Amino acid sequence: MARTPLIAGNWKMVLDHQQGTLLVQKLDWTLKDAKHDHGAVEVAVLPSHTSLRTVQTLIEGDRLALKLGAQDVSAHESGAYTGEVSAAQLAKLGVTYVAVGHSERRQYHGEDDAVVRAKTRRALEHGLTPIVCVGEPLEVRREGTHVPFTVAQVTAALEDLQPAQVAGLVLAYEPVWAIGTGEFASPADAQEVCEALRAAVAGQFDAATAQAVRVLYGGSVKPANIASIMAQPDVDGALVGGASTDAGDFAAIVRYREHPA
Ligand code: PGA
């Protein structure tokens, strides 16, 4: 079964809504080229919550071929949770994707597997597509236990979901040591874990679900390394941080089919 590649740009806490507007306009302009086949690769941007409305208006108003994503969602439905943003609020804004369990959330906000699972379920309940992020820290990679470590994160996040829900969501393998460090996992390393995560989904659910779920790689993705990463059979796209805040770099990543692996 063919899985549509997804390139998602996680802007983190970098761009404000004006900078975000400019970036989206430049990105659209750069991707308008006839050579870029919009149907072949899905492109999403994940702005800060404060920029979602502005970017959504731009995407909708100008009918841009971009999907909107959020960087986080509350595990709670609604109520007295000061500072949090609910899945219902994101859905109302036209948000399609939401990153859940990004390593920066796990590391700086104490999000454990139970929180990641609750957020994943909440997102699904409101029709959002979770991008469930997993990845091992450097010590785990050095010990060589990165496969069971990341498989356990995925298994915990997906516990009790229906196969159809899992088939439609996105997993992102982001080794913590490769995020924002310029140190990227080799294509073979990315393939090893992405393949293992897919096999874990087959074991937890079934083979058809595993074939349908999209698995992204993230961590220092750049125009220079994207093609070799995308050439791996179990890598269905990329979650791009730093390079997604530069319209030229992000457009070049989206157009990975045009450069040699
Ligand atoms: P990076 O971030 O591309 O800057 O390494 C990736 C991410 O955190 O999603």
Side-chain angles (χ1 to χ4, degrees):
M1 184 200 298
R3 297 179 292 267
T4 305
L6 169 64
I7 306 288
N10 172 12
W11 297 354
K12 307 194 178 184
M13 200 174 69
V14 176
L15 305 176
D16 64 30
H17 70 288
Q18 288 170 335
Q19 294 165 323
T21 301
L22 213 62
L23 185 134
V24 166
Q25 285 168 334
K26 271 195 204 162
L27 182 64
D28 176 62
W29 185 81
T30 314
L31 294 178
K32 272 222 159 82
D33 189 309
K35 272 200 290 178
H36 172 69
D37 176 359
H38 278 292
V41 179
E42 205 183 335
V43 185
V45 291
L46 279 59
S48 297
H49 288 338
T50 50
S51 306
L52 284 172
R53 176 67 169 148
T54 313
V55 173
Q56 180 256 340
T57 306
L58 185 59
I59 290 175
E60 210 174 280
D62 292 354
R63 296 203 177 84
L64 307 184
L66 288 176
K67 297 272 171 61
L68 185 62
Q71 297 174 16
D72 186 30
V73 62
S74 176
H76 305 287
E77 179 59 29
S78 86
Y81 299 101
T82 302
E84 296 223 30
V85 172
S86 74
Q89 290 169 328
L90 295 177
K92 193 117 188 189
L93 271 183
V95 165
T96 300
Y97 291 104
V98 61
V100 172
H102 189 279
S103 65
E104 287 151 16
R105 302 289 321 166
R106 293 180 192 255
Q107 193 178 343
Y108 306 132
H109 301 272
E111 293 191 8
D112 59 11
D113 286 338
V115 171
V116 175
R117 176 165 59 239
K119 290 185 172 194
T120 301
R121 295 186 76 95
R122 194 64 73 190
L124 287 167
E125 278 166 21
H126 289 275
L128 303 172
T129 301
I131 301 176
V132 180
C133 305
V134 301
E136 81 285 0
L138 188 57
E139 343 43 289
V140 172
R141 167 63 61 166
R142 286 202 177 123
E143 278 166 8
T145 52
H146 47 283
V147 167
F149 184 94
T150 50
V151 163
Q153 287 180 320
V154 165
T155 306
L158 305 185
E159 201 181 288
D160 298 332
L161 293 181
Q162 296 302 312
Q165 291 176 305
V166 176
L169 59 70
V170 179
L171 302 176
Y173 168 54
E174 298 202 299
V176 178
W177 48 271
I179 295 179
T181 56
E183 188 91 26
F184 84 102
S186 72
D189 289 337
Q191 168 60 21
E192 179 197 27
V193 178
C194 292
E195 184 181 9
L197 299 184
R198 195 179 304 287
V201 170
Q204 194 177 0
F205 299 92
D206 54 67
T209 302
Q211 279 311 304
V213 71
R214 288 185 290 179
V215 187
L216 313 184
Y217 167 77
S220 297
V221 170
K222 304 280 181 266
N225 59 30
I226 183 69
S228 56
I229 292 168
M230 291 303 293
Q232 305 305 310
D234 285 291
V235 178
D236 303 314
L239 186 53
V240 186
S244 75
T245 59
D246 179 287
D249 279 354
F250 191 56
I253 290 170
V254 169
R255 301 171 73 135
Y256 67 90
R257 286 159 188 258
E258 294 164 34
H259 22 118

